[in-house]
Amino acid sequence: MDGVEALPPLRETIAAHGFDARKRFGQHFLLDLNLTRRIARAAAPLDDGTVIEVGPGPGGLTRALLLEGARRVVAIELDGRAFGPLLELQAVASGRLELVEADALRLEPRDLGPAPRRIVANLPYNVSTALLVQWLHAATDIADMVLMFQKEVVDRLVAAPRTKDYGRLSVLAQHVCEVRRLFDVAPTAFVPPPKVTSAVARLTPRPAADRLADLRPLERVTAAAFGQRRKMLRGSLAGVFSDPVTILEGLGLKPTARAEELTVEDFVKLAGLLDSE
Ligand code: SAH
């Protein structure tokens, strides 16, 4: 290993740099190395390809990734103030840490280093879903994702049909990835504590042959269906199909069903028929 183990506790590093959490950046820091190492281990193996960390902040999770043996971490941070602590970490990381000052929403995973690429992040909650959807579109370039969300978001990611949490995000995520809820994290684990409980999920993209190359038709169909989730599909899909009843019946689905009754596979079939419209 290298000098990462010899660093002072993160709390001291943050104090030394006067790096206070700001609401504007959605900042809630993880200082507990047991927890950050647990998140890092969930993303294993880390010793090949590139680990992309979004929003490292003062670098708690970054430290853990390096301690768990990451070969190359590319950390993308929007808040320039974080680079004081991050440069200190980089100095003892034996060339294993690259720092990028940028908005992750403007970057594509394939430009960030060689495959296999694993994305690991305690995400800023205000952009977490937008980033996830962007990464679902880029799934071909991603080997694995281990991400912290608000617990409610993970509930939606793993939700089954006929439940209140089942929606657009469930269908998109489950079609593209094998999704697993790993563990919950209490507000007290963060400095400052957020208002809600968090949860870590792993999303592993399925082989390219098992998923749509272009997700946009699936986004359109699910947006229409769940945009009016109390409506029968024959009504809610009227904006995307000229004859939704025939389309639904052709797939053996009831035109009177509601969005939440359809499986992920049903939505994928509907998406496949959009092209011919
Ligand atoms: N991962 C750290 C910090 C979590 S706070 C930890 O676990 O302690 C979330 C971090 O994401 C903040 O540092 C914030 O500045 C950063 N961030 C917010 N929006 C971002 C974006 N669009 N791109 C990159 N970083 C972002």
Side-chain angles (χ1 to χ4, degrees), residues 221-245:
V221 169
T222 51
F226 288 104
Q228 298 171 286
R229 62 183 295 146
R230 305 305 325 150
K231 259 198 181 175
M232 295 178 197
L233 289 164
R234 66 175 183 213
S236 58
L237 294 182
V240 288
F241 293 109
S242 46
D243 184 359
V245 172

Side-chain angles (χ1 to χ4, degrees), residues 7-21 29 31 58 63 81-86 88-89:
L7 284 170
L10 196 58
R11 199 177 285 277
E12 287 176 24
T13 307
I14 291 172
H17 289 272
F19 185 42
D20 55 323
F29 303 142
L31 307 186
R63 284 188 185 195
R81 299 177 310 139
F83 288 82
L86 290 175
E88 236 172 62
L89 179 55

Side-chain angles (χ1 to χ4, degrees), residues 13-67:
T13 307
I14 291 172
H17 289 272
F19 185 42
D20 55 323
R22 300 242 170 113
K23 235 195 178 117
R24 178 155 77 89
F25 293 106
Q27 287 170 336
H28 299 280
F29 303 142
L30 291 172
L31 307 186
D32 175 0
L33 197 54
N34 287 321
L35 178 60
T36 49
R37 290 188 83 144
R38 193 171 169 207
I39 297 169
R41 279 197 301 274
L46 301 171
D47 58 357
D48 59 353
T50 310
V51 179
I52 299 169
E53 191 196 348
V54 176
L61 187 50
T62 325
R63 284 188 185 195
L65 289 164
L66 294 166
L67 289 170

